[in-house]
Amino acid sequence: MILDHFSGPRELSYNYLDIAFSPYDDYWKELRRMCVQELFSAKRVHSIQPIKEEEVKKLIESVAESASQGSTVNLSEKFLALTVSVICKAAFGLSFHGTVLNNNSFDKLFREAFLFLGSFSASDFFPSGGWIVDRLTGLQERRERSVRDLDAFYEQMFDLHKQENKDGVEDFVDLLLRLEKEETILGNGKLTRNHIKAILMNVLLGAISTSAITMTWAMSELTRNPRAMKKVQSEIKNQIGNKSMITLDDIEQLHYLKMVIKETWRLHPPAPLLVPREVMSEFEINGYMIQPKTLLYVNAWAIRRDPETWKDPEMFLPERFMDNNIDAKGQNFELLPFGSGRRICPGMYMGTTMVEFGLANMLFQFDWKLPEDMVVKDMDMEESHGLTVGMKNDLLLVPVKYREH
Ligand code: HEM
C-alpha cells in the first residue's frame, strides 16, 4: 500500500496512522533512547565537530589540487568519501573509506546493500511463493551474499576496534559491546551480538548516503540555477568575510543556504518512500480497511511535488521558504526529508549539520563550472533506484579556486 496523501486533519490522521503502523515496543524504545543519547544528541554532534573540520579540510585540499590543474572533480564520490569518514570516525572511532575487507571495498559493500534493500522483492508482496521469483531473478543470492559480507565486515570491525581503541575513550561500538558483555536488559530483552549488528547497519545505511546525496543534488541544482548559485555564494562571502574556514556557528547566519538545502530535500528527498512500515493493527483510510501485516509506504516524493501544495513544484526556488515556517523536522507533512512520528530519523541534527557544513565550505572556497564540453541542458538529472535515491550518474564539475589564504 502506498500513502501519497493524507485525508482529514493531517496531524490527527498521521498520529493515528503512526500508532497503527510503526513497530515500537519497550525494547525498541530503550534502544532508540540509548542511541539518541550516545550518538545523535546535540552534545555528541558538537563533540565530533573537530572530526568534521579535519575531513572537510582534507576535502578542500584535494579539490584545490584539481582546481590548480583545471581538472574535473567527481563530487558524488567526494561527498560520499566525506560522510563515510566522518560517520565511521564518529560512530566507530575508525575510518573505513578505501579499506578493503574480505576482498570487498567498504564502499562497494555498502552500495550493494543499498541496492538490494531498495530493489523490488517479490517475497515482500507474495509471502508464500514470491521467494521463487527472487531466486530466479538472482536477488535472493545477491541478498544472501551481501548479508554474509556485511556480517564478516562487522566481525572484522569488532576485532579492529579492540586493537585500535587503546586511548581508553569509550565510543559507540565499545558501549554496545560492553552492554552485550554485561547482559544488560533493555526494555524486555537482552542486547545480543545480532542486535548490535542491526543497530550499526541502521546507523551506517541511515547516515552515509543520505547526507552525501543531499550535498550532490544541491550542487547540481545550483549549477543548473546560476541565479541561486550567485545568491548563495554572495551570502556566504558577505557573512563570513576573510576566515579560512566556515564554522558551525557561522552557519546560523546563512539563511539562504538553509533554504537551498530545504528546496533540495523537497525536490530530491534522499529516502523518497521513507522506510517501509508494517501495519500493527487494523485501521481505515479513505474508506479502505487496512489489515495487520500490510506493508505500507509513504510516498514523500509525490507529496513534495504535489501542485496543490506547492506552486511550480518542479522548479528549484529556494525563496519559497522565505515567508513561511515550514521546516524539515517532521511536523510539516509537505516536507518530510527525515520522515515523521516514532520512526523519524534520529540522526536529523547530525545529518543537517553535516550537509550545511560540507556545502557551505565547498561554496565558500570554490566557484564551480561545468566541464568544457558541457552546457546546463546536458546535465543528467536522472535518479538512481534503491532505498535512497541519488543521481544515477556521478556529478562532475570543475572547481575554480576563488579564495587565497
Ligand atoms: C541528510 C541526512 C539524512 C536524511 C535526509 C535522513 C533521512 C532519513 C529518513 C527519511 C528516515 C526514515 C524515517 C521514517 O521512515 O519516518 C531515516 C531513518 C534513520 N536515519 Fe536518517 N537521514 C539522514 C541522516 C542520518 C544520520 C547522519 C544518521 C546517523 C548518524 C541517521 C540515522 C538514521 C537511523 C538509525 C534511521 C532509522 C530509524 C528507525 O528505524 O527508527 N540518519 N533517515
Side-chain angles (χ1 to χ4, degrees), residues 28 32 39-40 87 202-203 206-207 210-211 214 265 270-271 274-275 277 336-340 342-347 350-352 355:
W28 176 260
R32 193 174 156 114
L39 192 57
F40 309 120
I87 299 294
N202 247 4
V203 170
T210 44
S211 309
T214 307
W265 279 331
L274 306 186
V275 167
R277 265 84 170 154
L336 294 175
F338 298 102
S340 188
R342 294 167 160 183
R343 303 303 289 264
I344 192 171
C345 173
M350 192 190 278
T352 306
V355 168

PDB file of all heavy atoms in Angstrom, residues 28 32 39-40 87 202-203 206-207 210-211 214 265 270-271 274-275 277 336-340 342-347 350-352 355, ligand 1:
ATOM      1  N   TRP A  28      12.588  -1.637  21.832  1.00  0.00           N
ATOM      2  CA  TRP A  28      12.940  -0.670  20.790  1.00  0.00           C
ATOM      3  C   TRP A  28      13.065   0.737  21.377  1.00  0.00           C
ATOM      4  O   TRP A  28      13.991   1.497  21.066  1.00  0.00           O
ATOM      5  CB  TRP A  28      11.884  -0.717  19.679  1.00  0.00           C
ATOM      6  CG  TRP A  28      12.167   0.324  18.644  1.00  0.00           C
ATOM      7  CD1 TRP A  28      11.569   1.540  18.524  1.00  0.00           C
ATOM      8  CD2 TRP A  28      13.176   0.276  17.640  1.00  0.00           C
ATOM      9  NE1 TRP A  28      12.141   2.254  17.509  1.00  0.00           N
ATOM     10  CE2 TRP A  28      13.122   1.501  16.939  1.00  0.00           C
ATOM     11  CE3 TRP A  28      14.123  -0.687  17.263  1.00  0.00           C
ATOM     12  CZ2 TRP A  28      13.972   1.786  15.892  1.00  0.00           C
ATOM     13  CZ3 TRP A  28      14.973  -0.385  16.199  1.00  0.00           C
ATOM     14  CH2 TRP A  28      14.889   0.828  15.530  1.00  0.00           C
ATOM     15  N   ARG A  32      16.412   2.921  21.197  1.00  0.00           N
ATOM     16  CA  ARG A  32      16.417   4.181  20.473  1.00  0.00           C
ATOM     17  C   ARG A  32      16.842   5.325  21.405  1.00  0.00           C
ATOM     18  O   ARG A  32      17.629   6.187  21.039  1.00  0.00           O
ATOM     19  CB  ARG A  32      15.026   4.432  19.886  1.00  0.00           C
ATOM     20  CG  ARG A  32      15.037   5.555  18.867  1.00  0.00           C
ATOM     21  CD  ARG A  32      13.717   5.721  18.177  1.00  0.00           C
ATOM     22  NE  ARG A  32      13.655   7.076  17.695  1.00  0.00           N
ATOM     23  CZ  ARG A  32      13.634   7.424  16.421  1.00  0.00           C
ATOM     24  NH1 ARG A  32      13.610   6.517  15.504  1.00  0.00           N
ATOM     25  NH2 ARG A  32      13.612   8.677  16.079  1.00  0.00           N
ATOM     26  N   LEU A  39      24.700   8.809  20.466  1.00  0.00           N
ATOM     27  CA  LEU A  39      25.230   9.047  19.130  1.00  0.00           C
ATOM     28  C   LEU A  39      24.651  10.274  18.438  1.00  0.00           C
ATOM     29  O   LEU A  39      25.312  10.911  17.634  1.00  0.00           O
ATOM     30  CB  LEU A  39      24.973   7.801  18.272  1.00  0.00           C
ATOM     31  CG  LEU A  39      25.688   7.722  16.938  1.00  0.00           C
ATOM     32  CD1 LEU A  39      27.193   7.837  17.123  1.00  0.00           C
ATOM     33  CD2 LEU A  39      25.364   6.411  16.253  1.00  0.00           C
ATOM     34  N   PHE A  40      23.387  10.577  18.723  1.00  0.00           N
ATOM     35  CA  PHE A  40      22.726  11.603  17.912  1.00  0.00           C
ATOM     36  C   PHE A  40      22.454  12.907  18.649  1.00  0.00           C
ATOM     37  O   PHE A  40      21.885  13.821  18.081  1.00  0.00           O
ATOM     38  CB  PHE A  40      21.381  11.067  17.399  1.00  0.00           C
ATOM     39  CG  PHE A  40      21.471   9.733  16.726  1.00  0.00           C
ATOM     40  CD1 PHE A  40      20.776   8.644  17.215  1.00  0.00           C
ATOM     41  CD2 PHE A  40      22.225   9.570  15.587  1.00  0.00           C
ATOM     42  CE1 PHE A  40      20.850   7.409  16.586  1.00  0.00           C
ATOM     43  CE2 PHE A  40      22.300   8.346  14.957  1.00  0.00           C
ATOM     44  CZ  PHE A  40      21.618   7.262  15.450  1.00  0.00           C
ATOM     45  N   ILE A  87      31.242   9.772   9.552  1.00  0.00           N
ATOM     46  CA  ILE A  87      30.321   8.900  10.315  1.00  0.00           C
ATOM     47  C   ILE A  87      31.092   7.738  10.957  1.00  0.00           C
ATOM     48  O   ILE A  87      30.868   7.416  12.122  1.00  0.00           O
ATOM     49  CB  ILE A  87      29.174   8.363   9.417  1.00  0.00           C
ATOM     50  CG1 ILE A  87      28.347   9.523   8.850  1.00  0.00           C
ATOM     51  CG2 ILE A  87      28.295   7.371  10.167  1.00  0.00           C
ATOM     52  CD1 ILE A  87      27.567  10.339   9.843  1.00  0.00           C
ATOM     53  N   ASN A 202      21.758  -0.022  10.712  1.00  0.00           N
ATOM     54  CA  ASN A 202      20.804   1.087  10.645  1.00  0.00           C
ATOM     55  C   ASN A 202      21.531   2.428  10.608  1.00  0.00           C
ATOM     56  O   ASN A 202      21.210   3.302   9.801  1.00  0.00           O
ATOM     57  CB  ASN A 202      19.944   1.077  11.921  1.00  0.00           C
ATOM     58  CG  ASN A 202      18.516   0.741  11.611  1.00  0.00           C
ATOM     59  OD1 ASN A 202      18.187   0.446  10.475  1.00  0.00           O
ATOM     60  ND2 ASN A 202      17.671   0.780  12.611  1.00  0.00           N
ATOM     61  N   VAL A 203      22.530   2.554  11.469  1.00  0.00           N
ATOM     62  CA  VAL A 203      23.250   3.828  11.553  1.00  0.00           C
ATOM     63  C   VAL A 203      24.015   4.089  10.257  1.00  0.00           C
ATOM     64  O   VAL A 203      23.922   5.162   9.661  1.00  0.00           O
ATOM     65  CB  VAL A 203      24.220   3.821  12.759  1.00  0.00           C
ATOM     66  CG1 VAL A 203      25.145   5.018  12.717  1.00  0.00           C
ATOM     67  CG2 VAL A 203      23.433   3.824  14.060  1.00  0.00           C
ATOM     68  N   GLY A 206      21.575   4.532   7.336  1.00  0.00           N
ATOM     69  CA  GLY A 206      20.783   5.758   7.519  1.00  0.00           C
ATOM     70  C   GLY A 206      21.631   6.998   7.320  1.00  0.00           C
ATOM     71  O   GLY A 206      21.159   8.016   6.832  1.00  0.00           O
ATOM     72  N   ALA A 207      22.902   6.908   7.696  1.00  0.00           N
ATOM     73  CA  ALA A 207      23.695   8.129   7.771  1.00  0.00           C
ATOM     74  C   ALA A 207      24.466   8.459   6.502  1.00  0.00           C
ATOM     75  O   ALA A 207      24.520   9.602   6.072  1.00  0.00           O
ATOM     76  CB  ALA A 207      24.684   8.001   8.926  1.00  0.00           C
ATOM     77  N   THR A 210      22.574   9.309   2.712  1.00  0.00           N
ATOM     78  CA  THR A 210      21.592  10.403   2.752  1.00  0.00           C
ATOM     79  C   THR A 210      22.259  11.783   2.732  1.00  0.00           C
ATOM     80  O   THR A 210      21.831  12.661   1.968  1.00  0.00           O
ATOM     81  CB  THR A 210      20.726  10.283   4.021  1.00  0.00           C
ATOM     82  OG1 THR A 210      21.588   9.981   5.116  1.00  0.00           O
ATOM     83  CG2 THR A 210      19.664   9.223   3.888  1.00  0.00           C
ATOM     84  N   SER A 211      23.307  11.951   3.557  1.00  0.00           N
ATOM     85  CA  SER A 211      23.945  13.273   3.615  1.00  0.00           C
ATOM     86  C   SER A 211      24.691  13.553   2.301  1.00  0.00           C
ATOM     87  O   SER A 211      24.620  14.661   1.756  1.00  0.00           O
ATOM     88  CB  SER A 211      24.945  13.343   4.772  1.00  0.00           C
ATOM     89  OG  SER A 211      24.352  12.922   5.962  1.00  0.00           O
ATOM     90  N   THR A 214      22.296  14.444  -0.514  1.00  0.00           N
ATOM     91  CA  THR A 214      21.757  15.814  -0.401  1.00  0.00           C
ATOM     92  C   THR A 214      22.766  16.830  -0.943  1.00  0.00           C
ATOM     93  O   THR A 214      22.417  17.725  -1.720  1.00  0.00           O
ATOM     94  CB  THR A 214      21.436  16.146   1.073  1.00  0.00           C
ATOM     95  OG1 THR A 214      20.597  15.138   1.602  1.00  0.00           O
ATOM     96  CG2 THR A 214      20.759  17.501   1.206  1.00  0.00           C
ATOM     97  N   TRP A 265      15.889  19.124  -0.549  1.00  0.00           N
ATOM     98  CA  TRP A 265      15.161  17.999   0.060  1.00  0.00           C
ATOM     99  C   TRP A 265      13.752  17.871  -0.510  1.00  0.00           C
ATOM    100  O   TRP A 265      13.216  16.794  -0.618  1.00  0.00           O
ATOM    101  CB  TRP A 265      15.083  18.187   1.577  1.00  0.00           C
ATOM    102  CG  TRP A 265      16.318  17.767   2.297  1.00  0.00           C
ATOM    103  CD1 TRP A 265      17.197  16.792   1.909  1.00  0.00           C
ATOM    104  CD2 TRP A 265      16.837  18.295   3.521  1.00  0.00           C
ATOM    105  NE1 TRP A 265      18.217  16.682   2.829  1.00  0.00           N
ATOM    106  CE2 TRP A 265      18.018  17.587   3.827  1.00  0.00           C
ATOM    107  CE3 TRP A 265      16.416  19.291   4.403  1.00  0.00           C
ATOM    108  CZ2 TRP A 265      18.775  17.849   4.969  1.00  0.00           C
ATOM    109  CZ3 TRP A 265      17.166  19.550   5.533  1.00  0.00           C
ATOM    110  CH2 TRP A 265      18.335  18.833   5.814  1.00  0.00           C
ATOM    111  N   PRO A 270      16.152  12.218  -0.168  1.00  0.00           N
ATOM    112  CA  PRO A 270      17.072  11.080  -0.266  1.00  0.00           C
ATOM    113  C   PRO A 270      16.385   9.736  -0.030  1.00  0.00           C
ATOM    114  O   PRO A 270      16.787   8.733  -0.591  1.00  0.00           O
ATOM    115  CB  PRO A 270      18.098  11.361   0.830  1.00  0.00           C
ATOM    116  CG  PRO A 270      18.043  12.828   1.044  1.00  0.00           C
ATOM    117  CD  PRO A 270      16.625  13.229   0.808  1.00  0.00           C
ATOM    118  N   ALA A 271      15.340   9.719   0.803  1.00  0.00           N
ATOM    119  CA  ALA A 271      14.591   8.459   1.000  1.00  0.00           C
ATOM    120  C   ALA A 271      13.135   8.725   0.586  1.00  0.00           C
ATOM    121  O   ALA A 271      12.299   9.041   1.427  1.00  0.00           O
ATOM    122  CB  ALA A 271      14.676   8.029   2.461  1.00  0.00           C
ATOM    123  N   LEU A 274      10.351   6.963   2.388  1.00  0.00           N
ATOM    124  CA  LEU A 274      10.755   6.812   3.796  1.00  0.00           C
ATOM    125  C   LEU A 274      11.198   5.368   4.022  1.00  0.00           C
ATOM    126  O   LEU A 274      11.776   4.761   3.130  1.00  0.00           O
ATOM    127  CB  LEU A 274       9.613   7.219   4.738  1.00  0.00           C
ATOM    128  CG  LEU A 274       9.025   8.627   4.514  1.00  0.00           C
ATOM    129  CD1 LEU A 274       8.022   8.952   5.607  1.00  0.00           C
ATOM    130  CD2 LEU A 274      10.087   9.707   4.453  1.00  0.00           C
ATOM    131  N   VAL A 275      10.911   4.838   5.227  1.00  0.00           N
ATOM    132  CA  VAL A 275      11.264   3.445   5.484  1.00  0.00           C
ATOM    133  C   VAL A 275       9.950   2.674   5.530  1.00  0.00           C
ATOM    134  O   VAL A 275       8.994   3.146   6.146  1.00  0.00           O
ATOM    135  CB  VAL A 275      12.023   3.353   6.824  1.00  0.00           C
ATOM    136  CG1 VAL A 275      12.127   1.925   7.286  1.00  0.00           C
ATOM    137  CG2 VAL A 275      13.417   3.959   6.674  1.00  0.00           C
ATOM    138  N   ARG A 277       6.772   0.620   6.449  1.00  0.00           N
ATOM    139  CA  ARG A 277       6.152   0.272   7.730  1.00  0.00           C
ATOM    140  C   ARG A 277       5.362  -1.011   7.585  1.00  0.00           C
ATOM    141  O   ARG A 277       4.922  -1.342   6.491  1.00  0.00           O
ATOM    142  CB  ARG A 277       5.146   1.357   8.136  1.00  0.00           C
ATOM    143  CG  ARG A 277       5.645   2.428   9.048  1.00  0.00           C
ATOM    144  CD  ARG A 277       6.331   3.525   8.305  1.00  0.00           C
ATOM    145  NE  ARG A 277       6.584   4.652   9.202  1.00  0.00           N
ATOM    146  CZ  ARG A 277       7.536   5.525   9.043  1.00  0.00           C
ATOM    147  NH1 ARG A 277       8.361   5.415   8.022  1.00  0.00           N
ATOM    148  NH2 ARG A 277       7.705   6.506   9.881  1.00  0.00           N
ATOM    149  N   LEU A 336       9.053  16.149   4.243  1.00  0.00           N
ATOM    150  CA  LEU A 336       9.459  15.170   5.260  1.00  0.00           C
ATOM    151  C   LEU A 336      10.795  14.487   4.914  1.00  0.00           C
ATOM    152  O   LEU A 336      10.854  13.274   4.778  1.00  0.00           O
ATOM    153  CB  LEU A 336       8.377  14.072   5.397  1.00  0.00           C
ATOM    154  CG  LEU A 336       7.014  14.472   5.941  1.00  0.00           C
ATOM    155  CD1 LEU A 336       6.051  13.289   5.892  1.00  0.00           C
ATOM    156  CD2 LEU A 336       7.116  14.992   7.368  1.00  0.00           C
ATOM    157  N   PRO A 337      11.885  15.250   4.780  1.00  0.00           N
ATOM    158  CA  PRO A 337      13.138  14.579   4.404  1.00  0.00           C
ATOM    159  C   PRO A 337      13.597  13.572   5.449  1.00  0.00           C
ATOM    160  O   PRO A 337      14.322  12.632   5.137  1.00  0.00           O
ATOM    161  CB  PRO A 337      14.140  15.731   4.289  1.00  0.00           C
ATOM    162  CG  PRO A 337      13.558  16.849   5.059  1.00  0.00           C
ATOM    163  CD  PRO A 337      12.068  16.692   4.991  1.00  0.00           C
ATOM    164  N   PHE A 338      13.188  13.776   6.716  1.00  0.00           N
ATOM    165  CA  PHE A 338      13.623  12.870   7.777  1.00  0.00           C
ATOM    166  C   PHE A 338      12.477  11.990   8.272  1.00  0.00           C
ATOM    167  O   PHE A 338      12.580  11.360   9.324  1.00  0.00           O
ATOM    168  CB  PHE A 338      14.193  13.672   8.954  1.00  0.00           C
ATOM    169  CG  PHE A 338      15.404  14.479   8.588  1.00  0.00           C
ATOM    170  CD1 PHE A 338      15.318  15.843   8.355  1.00  0.00           C
ATOM    171  CD2 PHE A 338      16.642  13.862   8.451  1.00  0.00           C
ATOM    172  CE1 PHE A 338      16.436  16.583   7.994  1.00  0.00           C
ATOM    173  CE2 PHE A 338      17.771  14.592   8.091  1.00  0.00           C
ATOM    174  CZ  PHE A 338      17.668  15.947   7.865  1.00  0.00           C
ATOM    175  N   GLY A 339      11.376  11.940   7.525  1.00  0.00           N
ATOM    176  CA  GLY A 339      10.231  11.160   7.961  1.00  0.00           C
ATOM    177  C   GLY A 339       9.519  11.871   9.096  1.00  0.00           C
ATOM    178  O   GLY A 339       9.692  13.083   9.309  1.00  0.00           O
ATOM    179  N   SER A 340       8.718  11.116   9.837  1.00  0.00           N
ATOM    180  CA  SER A 340       7.956  11.722  10.922  1.00  0.00           C
ATOM    181  C   SER A 340       7.526  10.641  11.894  1.00  0.00           C
ATOM    182  O   SER A 340       7.626   9.453  11.595  1.00  0.00           O
ATOM    183  CB  SER A 340       6.727  12.422  10.325  1.00  0.00           C
ATOM    184  OG  SER A 340       6.065  13.169  11.304  1.00  0.00           O
ATOM    185  N   ARG A 342       7.134   8.150  15.225  1.00  0.00           N
ATOM    186  CA  ARG A 342       8.004   7.355  16.097  1.00  0.00           C
ATOM    187  C   ARG A 342       9.290   6.897  15.426  1.00  0.00           C
ATOM    188  O   ARG A 342      10.288   6.650  16.080  1.00  0.00           O
ATOM    189  CB  ARG A 342       7.258   6.093  16.521  1.00  0.00           C
ATOM    190  CG  ARG A 342       6.087   6.386  17.376  1.00  0.00           C
ATOM    191  CD  ARG A 342       5.254   5.147  17.479  1.00  0.00           C
ATOM    192  NE  ARG A 342       4.392   5.240  18.639  1.00  0.00           N
ATOM    193  CZ  ARG A 342       3.590   4.279  19.024  1.00  0.00           C
ATOM    194  NH1 ARG A 342       3.523   3.157  18.341  1.00  0.00           N
ATOM    195  NH2 ARG A 342       2.842   4.426  20.073  1.00  0.00           N
ATOM    196  N   ARG A 343       9.251   6.734  14.102  1.00  0.00           N
ATOM    197  CA  ARG A 343      10.444   6.247  13.412  1.00  0.00           C
ATOM    198  C   ARG A 343      11.200   7.367  12.710  1.00  0.00           C
ATOM    199  O   ARG A 343      12.031   7.104  11.844  1.00  0.00           O
ATOM    200  CB  ARG A 343      10.047   5.155  12.389  1.00  0.00           C
ATOM    201  CG  ARG A 343       9.305   3.995  12.984  1.00  0.00           C
ATOM    202  CD  ARG A 343      10.088   3.316  14.093  1.00  0.00           C
ATOM    203  NE  ARG A 343      11.239   2.574  13.634  1.00  0.00           N
ATOM    204  CZ  ARG A 343      11.249   1.265  13.390  1.00  0.00           C
ATOM    205  NH1 ARG A 343      10.157   0.557  13.538  1.00  0.00           N
ATOM    206  NH2 ARG A 343      12.347   0.673  13.019  1.00  0.00           N
ATOM    207  N   ILE A 344      10.909   8.602  13.077  1.00  0.00           N
ATOM    208  CA  ILE A 344      11.606   9.733  12.444  1.00  0.00           C
ATOM    209  C   ILE A 344      13.132   9.541  12.578  1.00  0.00           C
ATOM    210  O   ILE A 344      13.596   8.914  13.539  1.00  0.00           O
ATOM    211  CB  ILE A 344      11.166  11.075  13.094  1.00  0.00           C
ATOM    212  CG1 ILE A 344      11.657  12.259  12.268  1.00  0.00           C
ATOM    213  CG2 ILE A 344      11.630  11.169  14.534  1.00  0.00           C
ATOM    214  CD1 ILE A 344      11.084  13.585  12.724  1.00  0.00           C
ATOM    215  N   CYS A 345      13.863  10.071  11.608  1.00  0.00           N
ATOM    216  CA  CYS A 345      15.318   9.892  11.611  1.00  0.00           C
ATOM    217  C   CYS A 345      15.934  10.431  12.911  1.00  0.00           C
ATOM    218  O   CYS A 345      15.824  11.619  13.207  1.00  0.00           O
ATOM    219  CB  CYS A 345      15.915  10.648  10.419  1.00  0.00           C
ATOM    220  SG  CYS A 345      17.710  10.679  10.440  1.00  0.00           S
ATOM    221  N   PRO A 346      16.613   9.593  13.665  1.00  0.00           N
ATOM    222  CA  PRO A 346      17.233  10.087  14.901  1.00  0.00           C
ATOM    223  C   PRO A 346      18.505  10.892  14.624  1.00  0.00           C
ATOM    224  O   PRO A 346      18.983  11.612  15.494  1.00  0.00           O
ATOM    225  CB  PRO A 346      17.565   8.798  15.666  1.00  0.00           C
ATOM    226  CG  PRO A 346      17.681   7.746  14.612  1.00  0.00           C
ATOM    227  CD  PRO A 346      16.802   8.148  13.476  1.00  0.00           C
ATOM    228  N   GLY A 347      19.043  10.771  13.395  1.00  0.00           N
ATOM    229  CA  GLY A 347      20.294  11.475  13.068  1.00  0.00           C
ATOM    230  C   GLY A 347      20.042  12.800  12.373  1.00  0.00           C
ATOM    231  O   GLY A 347      20.952  13.338  11.728  1.00  0.00           O
ATOM    232  N   MET A 350      22.499  15.572  13.221  1.00  0.00           N
ATOM    233  CA  MET A 350      23.836  15.267  12.708  1.00  0.00           C
ATOM    234  C   MET A 350      23.863  15.401  11.179  1.00  0.00           C
ATOM    235  O   MET A 350      24.795  15.962  10.598  1.00  0.00           O
ATOM    236  CB  MET A 350      24.265  13.860  13.125  1.00  0.00           C
ATOM    237  CG  MET A 350      25.733  13.615  12.880  1.00  0.00           C
ATOM    238  SD  MET A 350      26.233  11.914  13.079  1.00  0.00           S
ATOM    239  CE  MET A 350      26.452  11.761  14.798  1.00  0.00           C
ATOM    240  N   GLY A 351      22.809  14.893  10.530  1.00  0.00           N
ATOM    241  CA  GLY A 351      22.735  14.939   9.063  1.00  0.00           C
ATOM    242  C   GLY A 351      22.668  16.377   8.563  1.00  0.00           C
ATOM    243  O   GLY A 351      23.368  16.757   7.622  1.00  0.00           O
ATOM    244  N   THR A 352      21.827  17.198   9.225  1.00  0.00           N
ATOM    245  CA  THR A 352      21.670  18.581   8.776  1.00  0.00           C
ATOM    246  C   THR A 352      22.987  19.344   8.918  1.00  0.00           C
ATOM    247  O   THR A 352      23.425  20.042   7.993  1.00  0.00           O
ATOM    248  CB  THR A 352      20.566  19.291   9.597  1.00  0.00           C
ATOM    249  OG1 THR A 352      19.384  18.513   9.511  1.00  0.00           O
ATOM    250  CG2 THR A 352      20.282  20.679   9.083  1.00  0.00           C
ATOM    251  N   VAL A 355      25.506  18.290   6.206  1.00  0.00           N
ATOM    252  CA  VAL A 355      25.203  18.843   4.884  1.00  0.00           C
ATOM    253  C   VAL A 355      25.527  20.343   4.846  1.00  0.00           C
ATOM    254  O   VAL A 355      26.173  20.833   3.911  1.00  0.00           O
ATOM    255  CB  VAL A 355      23.703  18.591   4.553  1.00  0.00           C
ATOM    256  CG1 VAL A 355      23.274  19.387   3.343  1.00  0.00           C
ATOM    257  CG2 VAL A 355      23.451  17.103   4.337  1.00  0.00           C
TER     258      VAL A 355
HETATM  259  C1  HEM B   1      20.612  14.499   5.258  1.00  0.00           C
HETATM  260  C2  HEM B   1      20.743  13.490   6.041  1.00  0.00           C
HETATM  261  C3  HEM B   1      19.679  12.461   6.385  1.00  0.00           C
HETATM  262  C4  HEM B   1      18.437  12.249   5.823  1.00  0.00           C
HETATM  263  C5  HEM B   1      17.771  13.015   4.694  1.00  0.00           C
HETATM  264  C6  HEM B   1      17.848  11.120   6.536  1.00  0.00           C
HETATM  265  C7  HEM B   1      16.585  10.602   6.270  1.00  0.00           C
HETATM  266  C8  HEM B   1      16.014   9.547   6.977  1.00  0.00           C
HETATM  267  C9  HEM B   1      14.672   9.047   6.748  1.00  0.00           C
HETATM  268  C10 HEM B   1      13.683   9.591   5.724  1.00  0.00           C
HETATM  269  C11 HEM B   1      14.474   8.027   7.612  1.00  0.00           C
HETATM  270  C12 HEM B   1      13.181   7.208   7.745  1.00  0.00           C
HETATM  271  C13 HEM B   1      12.231   7.956   8.674  1.00  0.00           C
HETATM  272  C14 HEM B   1      10.799   7.482   8.561  1.00  0.00           C
HETATM  273  O1  HEM B   1      10.541   6.484   7.876  1.00  0.00           O
HETATM  274  O2  HEM B   1       9.912   8.135   9.167  1.00  0.00           O
HETATM  275  C15 HEM B   1      15.692   7.854   8.392  1.00  0.00           C
HETATM  276  C16 HEM B   1      15.878   6.885   9.355  1.00  0.00           C
HETATM  277  C17 HEM B   1      17.045   6.726  10.055  1.00  0.00           C
HETATM  278  N1  HEM B   1      18.161   7.538   9.994  1.00  0.00           N
HETATM  279 FE1  HEM B   1      18.413   9.162   8.843  1.00  0.00          FE
HETATM  280  N2  HEM B   1      18.738  10.673   7.473  1.00  0.00           N
HETATM  281  C18 HEM B   1      19.866  11.465   7.427  1.00  0.00           C
HETATM  282  C19 HEM B   1      20.990  11.379   8.223  1.00  0.00           C
HETATM  283  C20 HEM B   1      21.180  10.429   9.201  1.00  0.00           C
HETATM  284  C21 HEM B   1      22.365  10.327  10.045  1.00  0.00           C
HETATM  285  C22 HEM B   1      23.564  11.279   9.965  1.00  0.00           C
HETATM  286  C23 HEM B   1      22.182   9.248  10.855  1.00  0.00           C
HETATM  287  C24 HEM B   1      23.090   8.663  11.910  1.00  0.00           C
HETATM  288  C25 HEM B   1      24.182   9.188  12.362  1.00  0.00           C
HETATM  289  C26 HEM B   1      20.883   8.660  10.529  1.00  0.00           C
HETATM  290  C27 HEM B   1      20.358   7.539  11.126  1.00  0.00           C
HETATM  291  C28 HEM B   1      19.105   7.015  10.865  1.00  0.00           C
HETATM  292  C29 HEM B   1      18.570   5.827  11.506  1.00  0.00           C
HETATM  293  C30 HEM B   1      19.285   4.950  12.550  1.00  0.00           C
HETATM  294  C31 HEM B   1      17.284   5.640  10.997  1.00  0.00           C
HETATM  295  C32 HEM B   1      16.301   4.506  11.355  1.00  0.00           C
HETATM  296  C33 HEM B   1      15.366   4.971  12.488  1.00  0.00           C
HETATM  297  C34 HEM B   1      14.320   3.920  12.858  1.00  0.00           C
HETATM  298  O3  HEM B   1      14.195   2.924  12.168  1.00  0.00           O
HETATM  299  O4  HEM B   1      13.595   4.156  13.861  1.00  0.00           O
HETATM  300  N3  HEM B   1      20.320   9.400   9.529  1.00  0.00           N
HETATM  301  N4  HEM B   1      16.608   8.800   7.985  1.00  0.00           N
END
